[in-house]
Amino acid sequence: MDISVYRPGELSAADRAAWTAMQSKAHLHGAEELANPFLSPEFALAVGRCRRGVRIAVVREDGEPAAFFPFQRTATGVGRAVGLGVSDCQGLVHRPGFTWDARELLRACGLAVWEYDHLVAGQEPFEAGASGTFPSPVMDVDRGYDVYLGELRARSPKFTRTTLAKERRLGRDAGPVRYVHDERDPAVLRTLMAWKSAQYRRTGRSDRFAHTWITALVTRLFHTRSDPFAGTLSVLYADDRPVAAHFGLRTERVLACWFPAYDPAYAKFSPGLVLHLRMAEAAAADGIAYLDLGRGQKEYKDSLKTREHNVSEGWVTRRHPVAVGHRARRAPVRALRNAVQSRPELFEPADRILKRMGKIRSRR
């Protein structure tokens, strides 16, 4: 393989265009997951503005780009997926039929190990190091919103009826309901981040927006617009007050759901569920094929999904002492977390403890 490694700012306009073209055509070759916006050049470049060590490997065949591999690395050769911890889709974007040797790629990138936690399906050279595979729910809207809603009614009639009734009640009790699919007011984005921070603390989770780089990344992506990538802020208003909002990323065919939150004062109206149905309707009208809800066990995802695709977590390693040490440190933590999350008898008590701790902290 002819492999060149670039800093994000060194990537040429021609290479960026080739990368985007591979994503745009991926669904024609049975690789629709490669169109995910977390695999886009815009996401890698935005992370590169907020984090050190971001690099992009370009693999060429006969002088033409055949694959793009974004990653982050440390001075000791520890590699991670770009945006590991916030990225919901990872891997190598490639043209149809391309195959690669994972260890040869790591060697060219100066990596002893590459760690991922949302590896897209169909990446066999990387999947050899997977330690687990997990479902990522999807809302298909490629046949139109009416078809999606009809299937939702057939599958979950009580859920659908209740959610739509709550939207009507929200309009009666709180004021006229209005939905904006692509809100451009940065003040509303700040409101969403404040809601999400409070939710993290309330439920005992680590507050992602307490990390300056994540706040900077989301803000940068909110202002990022290209063809076909965009950061999209969707907002549900009642009487012109925001009651629920979501910030995600979109490409031509995929809307990746990322940061949803709502005002707890309106919780009885389930504004988050209402918002997701409105998002599905608007996404279908925009020509989006599906909304990717992301890996993670959530009741609302099970209610809204039409199917699931799989993502994997694990490592690709070379024979190197750095790789051995990194995996020895990380593997037990991952195994414990996944064991808790996959077993209700463990997850539910742990979740209750985290929420109780969140309530205690919020009173201080």
Side-chain angles (χ1 to χ4, degrees):
M1 294 187 291
D2 177 12
I3 304 171
S4 301
V5 179
Y6 302 94
R7 296 175 184 272
E10 298 170 344
L11 197 66
S12 70
D15 281 342
R16 285 185 59 176
W19 187 342
T20 298
M22 286 180 192
Q23 288 194 285
S24 296
K25 298 175 182 177
H27 68 285
L28 300 175
H29 308 286
E32 65 174 4
E33 293 89 351
L34 292 183
N36 192 289
F38 287 107
L39 295 176
S40 296
E42 291 85 355
F43 181 74
L45 268 58
V47 176
R49 292 278 189 171
C50 303
R51 300 290 277 172
R52 295 179 180 177
V54 174
R55 299 292 185 271
I56 298 164
V58 182
V59 186
R60 303 184 195 276
E61 292 180 338
D62 300 323
E64 296 296 325
F68 295 87
F69 177 58
F71 61 94
Q72 291 178 244
R73 73 180 180 196
T74 67
T76 59
V78 172
R80 297 180 175 87
V82 165
L84 188 75
V86 295
S87 166
D88 284 349
C89 190
Q90 301 146 5
L92 179 143
V93 176
H94 58 87
R95 66 190 186 189
F98 177 77
T99 59
W100 67 98
D101 182 288
R103 289 176 176 80
E104 181 183 348
L105 179 62
L106 262 60
R107 188 178 299 109
C109 295
L111 300 177
V113 57
W114 181 66
E115 181 179 359
Y116 55 84
D117 62 2
H118 286 75
L119 180 70
V120 66
Q123 308 254 310
E124 288 84 359
F126 292 154
E127 288 171 350
S131 58
T133 301
F134 308 89
S136 187
V138 164
M139 298 168 65
D140 289 298
V141 294
D142 54 327
R143 292 181 293 162
Y145 177 70
D146 289 342
V147 172
Y148 167 77
L149 189 62
E151 292 178 347
L152 187 65
R153 278 196 175 102
R155 186 175 65 253
S156 306
K158 183 178 178 181
F159 167 81
T160 308
R161 185 171 61 252
T162 301
T163 302
L164 295 177
K166 285 182 176 181
E167 179 178 7
R168 293 190 295 270
R169 186 148 56 95
L170 173 64
R172 289 195 304 267
D173 294 358
V177 174
R178 177 170 62 92
Y179 172 74
V180 178
H181 188 58
D182 189 14
E183 175 63 78
R184 304 309 303 154
D185 184 353
V188 184
L189 179 66
R190 291 191 292 270
T191 297
L192 167 61
M193 289 192 282
W195 286 343
K196 199 67 182 177
S197 287
Q199 178 190 337
Y200 287 136
R201 295 192 300 269
R202 190 170 61 247
T203 57
R205 269 66 174 181
S206 174
D207 180 4
R208 289 182 173 179
F209 290 110
H211 300 277
T212 304
W213 77 268
I214 295 179
T215 299
L217 174 64
V218 170
T219 302
R220 179 173 292 277
L221 289 167
F222 172 73
H223 293 290
T224 299
R225 301 256 140 173
S226 66
D227 188 14
F229 181 97
T232 303
L233 175 64
S234 302
V235 185
L236 187 72
Y237 292 91
D239 197 26
D240 287 329
R241 294 187 304 271
V243 297
H246 166 269
F247 181 74
L249 308 176
R250 66 154 292 171
T251 53
E252 186 178 1
R253 292 179 53 81
V254 182
L255 173 60
C257 300
W258 201 11
F259 291 112
Y262 60 86
D263 185 341
Y266 297 87
K268 66 180 181 180
F269 301 107
S270 298
L273 292 175
V274 174
L275 174 69
H276 275 78
L277 290 182
R278 290 291 193 106
M279 285 165 52
E281 183 177 22
D286 275 356
I288 294 289
Y290 66 89
L291 288 74
D292 189 338
L293 297 173
R295 171 187 166 183
Q297 186 182 25
K298 299 288 184 181
E299 186 177 350
Y300 81 91
K301 294 181 183 182
D302 287 338
S303 298
L304 293 168
K305 71 182 181 183
T306 54
R307 61 183 172 94
E308 297 170 341
H309 58 234
N310 292 324
V311 296
S312 302
E313 70 173 36
W315 301 264
V316 181
T317 61
R318 292 195 293 128
R319 291 186 177 180
H320 196 286
V322 169
V324 175
H326 180 75
R327 185 162 184 167
R329 288 192 304 273
R330 295 284 288 162
V333 176
R334 288 204 167 197
L336 177 60
R337 184 200 65 200
N338 291 331
V340 170
Q341 291 181 341
S342 63
R343 296 173 61 184
E345 69 272 21
L346 297 178
F347 177 79
E348 291 172 7
D351 189 54
R352 286 196 297 270
I353 291 171
L354 286 172
K355 289 178 179 177
R356 194 175 303 126
M357 290 172 62
K359 288 179 181 178
I360 293 171
R361 283 200 297 262
S362 67
R363 295 191 190 113
R364 291 177 180 174

